[in-house]
Amino acid sequence: MKMRSVTPMRIAKIGYIVMSVVFCITGALFIALPDISITMIGISMGIAMVVFGIVKLVGYFSKDLYRLAFQFDLGLGVLLLVLGLIVLFRPDDLMTFICIALGISILTDGLFKVQIAFDSKRFGIKNWWLILSLAIVTGAIGVFLIFRSAKGAQLLTIVLGISLLAEGILNLYTVISTVLIIKHQRPDMIKVDYYEIK
């Protein structure tokens, strides 16, 4: 029987890890350098959203063994692509839109990761509670980003940085703990020939 290619899963897993690290680094930079220009924030966030949207779509169609980390990535991938493109076309005057769009995306991802945590528990993954905890914290930060009370651009940049850092850590831990790549994975559908006994 022909084995399924693990290349899409490997690309998705590596892409998730790389983008999670990029989110963490970008978040740390936004926290450390809150004076960064709004245009630079818009361009970097737009590019990150588009790339991560593509990675999520690859993950969704990769059919990893547990089907946990990537199960909601079709809708989230399209959402990130659309939001990223909007931000890229108008990076200068969209700080409020960036915060609301990213906040909604982070909140949604956090809520889906809560379900992934409970599914992980059913699969017997020991540290499912850590995914749950990170998802709750990340979702709460997403809500704060949407309804931020910060008026100043510097404080807003710091909140944006904290949000990116939390999202990066959540995605990094989820993909490392729930995506299992087996080299000799069989396809989902097994062809069986039926014979009628007379």
Side-chain angles (χ1 to χ4, degrees):
M1 179 183 295
K2 188 179 178 183
M3 300 296 169
R4 179 194 297 148
S5 171
V6 295
T7 303
M9 285 177 267
R10 198 175 306 283
I11 290 169
K13 186 171 185 175
I14 291 169
Y16 249 79
I17 291 169
V18 168
M19 287 308 300
S20 297
V21 170
V22 166
F23 274 28
C24 289
I25 292 169
T26 306
L29 283 174
F30 285 178
I31 294 166
L33 306 168
D35 292 333
I36 196 165
S37 79
I38 303 296
T39 305
M40 192 62 153
I41 291 172
I43 291 170
S44 60
M45 291 309 308
I47 291 170
M49 287 174 156
V50 168
V51 172
F52 204 31
I54 293 168
V55 169
K56 282 182 174 288
L57 290 174
V58 171
Y60 179 79
F61 291 108
S62 71
K63 297 188 187 283
D64 68 294
L65 187 64
Y66 290 152
R67 307 267 183 0
L68 290 173
F70 307 137
Q71 64 181 317
F72 304 111
D73 282 359
L74 178 61
L76 283 172
V78 172
L79 176 67
L80 280 175
L81 270 172
V82 171
L83 293 176
L85 289 171
I86 291 169
V87 169
L88 274 175
F89 282 116
R90 297 190 53 130
D92 293 327
D93 52 357
L94 285 178
M95 189 60 169
T96 302
F97 176 77
I98 290 169
C99 289
I100 292 172
L102 190 62
I104 290 170
S105 176
I106 288 172
L107 172 62
T108 305
D109 195 38
L111 292 173
F112 285 142
K113 292 293 193 301
V114 167
Q115 183 173 339
I116 289 171
F118 286 117
D119 290 343
S120 298
K121 182 182 180 185
R122 285 202 326 261
F123 271 87
I125 295 173
K126 286 191 293 187
N127 292 334
W128 66 271
W129 58 270
L130 190 51
I131 297 172
L132 178 64
S133 304
L134 289 169
I136 291 169
V137 169
T138 303
I141 292 171
V143 169
F144 182 74
L145 190 58
I146 296 166
F147 299 108
R148 73 209 177 281
S149 56
K151 301 292 182 192
Q154 288 185 351
L155 194 52
L156 200 53
T157 304
I158 292 170
V159 171
L160 190 60
I162 292 169
S163 303
L164 287 172
L165 191 58
E167 177 74 358
I169 292 168
L170 172 63
N171 280 310
L172 186 61
Y173 186 75
T174 302
V175 79
I176 287 172
S177 62
T178 63
V179 177
L180 181 63
I181 299 174
I182 298 176
K183 287 185 179 180
H184 304 294
Q185 190 173 344
R186 299 192 186 281
D188 290 339
M189 303 284 290
I190 299 174
K191 287 183 78 175
V192 179
D193 294 326
Y194 293 98
Y195 299 98
E196 188 175 331
I197 300 173
K198 295 184 181 181

